[in-house]
Amino acid sequence: MTNIFYSSLFFLSFVVVALFEVLPNVKGNILDDICPGSFFPPLCFQMLQNDPSVSKGDAHGLLSTVLQIAQDNSTSTYKWVKSIIKKPIKDPNLKAHMTNCLRNYNDATNYLKQSNDFYKTGAYKNTSLYSSLAVFESLSCNREFNEVPTDLKTLSESVQEFSNLSARIADNFT
């Protein structure tokens, strides 16, 4: 009888611990779970701390917000690179690198649009995959340079951060 009691107690405590691992953060501050593992944690906290979905513990709402930020930043970066290319650039290597970056950010923007479309249909694996592809495109642009231009670096970090976060959040739904 005692063995059964202890076995049941052990099993029950195991179930309770497992539930706390699976259930979303009951405090509602899901940023404490997401931001520390991000590329740029201060940027993550700064940009998302006032989002209403955070205080509600709403991971779906947060994913929607993060995808929109990633897509907006990718589009802004594309437009910025395009504006740089329109200016006279004396260094032919820089012009070639920026032209490649323009292609990278065109692809990143398209991937994030597709990622958002997949999110809306509940295809979270594809949401994650396409968000990850956007990170790859941004990193590919940066690899073109020995030293990434300051403005581009700031824009790239934001695209990488929020594309990566959207991939990580979407992975939690698969």
Side-chain angles (χ1 to χ4, degrees):
M1 183 73 168
T2 305
N3 274 346
I4 293 173
F5 173 75
Y6 285 120
S7 295
S8 298
L9 188 59
F10 175 75
F11 178 74
L12 182 60
S13 57
F14 175 76
V15 169
V16 169
V17 169
L19 277 176
F20 280 114
E21 291 294 319
V22 171
L23 292 176
N25 189 338
V26 290
K27 294 185 301 187
N29 192 354
I30 53 182
L31 293 186
D32 290 337
D33 296 332
I34 294 168
C35 289
S38 69
F39 289 152
F40 309 101
L43 180 62
C44 177
F45 281 110
Q46 177 188 0
M47 291 293 291
L48 298 174
Q49 66 187 354
N50 294 322
D51 187 88
S53 57
V54 170
S55 61
K56 296 176 188 171
D58 176 13
H60 278 90
L62 183 61
L63 177 55
S64 177
T65 299
V66 167
L67 276 167
Q68 191 59 55
I69 291 171
Q71 197 168 356
D72 290 348
N73 286 327
S74 184
T75 300
S76 296
T77 305
Y78 173 83
K79 288 178 180 178
W80 181 84
V81 172
K82 190 173 185 177
S83 74
I84 295 298
I85 290 174
K86 287 181 179 180
K87 297 177 182 176
I89 300 174
K90 293 178 184 177
D91 180 356
N93 288 330
L94 178 59
K95 178 117 177 146
H97 293 331
M98 293 304 269
T99 301
N100 287 337
C101 283
L102 188 66
R103 282 190 218 107
N104 292 128
Y105 278 102
N106 183 57
D107 290 347
T109 301
N110 288 332
Y111 287 142
L112 288 166
K113 182 189 177 318
Q114 289 176 293
S115 181
N116 202 12
D117 291 344
F118 284 124
Y119 160 74
K120 290 174 183 174
T121 65
Y124 299 115
K125 281 186 179 185
N126 288 336
T127 300
S128 177
L129 172 67
Y130 280 79
S131 292
S132 296
L133 289 170
V135 173
F136 174 79
E137 291 297 337
S138 180
L139 290 170
S140 294
C141 168
N142 288 358
R143 281 190 215 111
E144 293 279 331
F145 301 95
N146 290 330
E147 189 171 322
V148 179
T150 305
D151 290 340
L152 180 58
K153 182 177 181 180
T154 303
L155 292 166
S156 294
E157 286 175 353
S158 187
V159 172
Q160 292 161 22
E161 176 70 355
F162 293 101
S163 298
N164 178 55
L165 281 174
S166 62
R168 290 183 54 227
I169 295 168
D171 280 342
N172 288 321
F173 297 121
T174 59

